[in-house]
Amino acid sequence: MSEREWRFYLDDMIGFAEKVLIYTEGLDQAAFVASGLNYDATVRNLELIGEAATHIPVEIQKTFGAVPWRQVIATRNRLIHGYLGIDNDTLWSIIKDDVPALIMQLRLIGNSLK
């Protein structure tokens, strides 16, 4: 994998994470869960964040260990394979707490590579 390829996935992760925040902006947890389209789009983008993370080389993941790479990928797996058992409290916590922090960490990585 070339540097350009994994950097592309890093940019994708940022874009997907930003969509998560856009799709949930102005909603509380109850409104989000009841929203249908916003809920589905948000879950899909969380899956895509994890999928893109699988394309970041292990050596890069080790270099930037502040990003919880394994958790990001595990969340993707749980969402895709456990879709009937999604815990909305956990999902909301990921959206409100983890995604903004992830965006900041990924941007720091991107900026350090320029």
Side-chain angles (χ1 to χ4, degrees), residues 8-24 38 40-56 72 76 95 99-100 102-103 106-107:
F8 177 74
Y9 289 109
L10 184 74
D11 291 340
D12 286 346
M13 290 177 70
I14 294 168
F16 298 140
E18 288 172 340
K19 285 182 181 181
V20 166
L21 298 183
I22 290 167
Y23 297 156
T24 57
N38 291 67
D40 291 347
T42 299
V43 169
R44 178 64 178 145
N45 278 277
L46 288 170
E47 294 168 354
L48 291 171
I49 293 167
E51 180 62 28
T54 67
H55 296 280
I56 305 297
V72 170
R76 173 247 182 228
I95 293 164
V99 171
L102 180 64
I103 291 171
L106 295 174
R107 284 184 179 150

Side-chain angles (χ1 to χ4, degrees), residues 25-36:
E25 187 175 359
L27 300 176
D28 62 12
Q29 183 178 347
F32 166 68
V33 171
S35 68

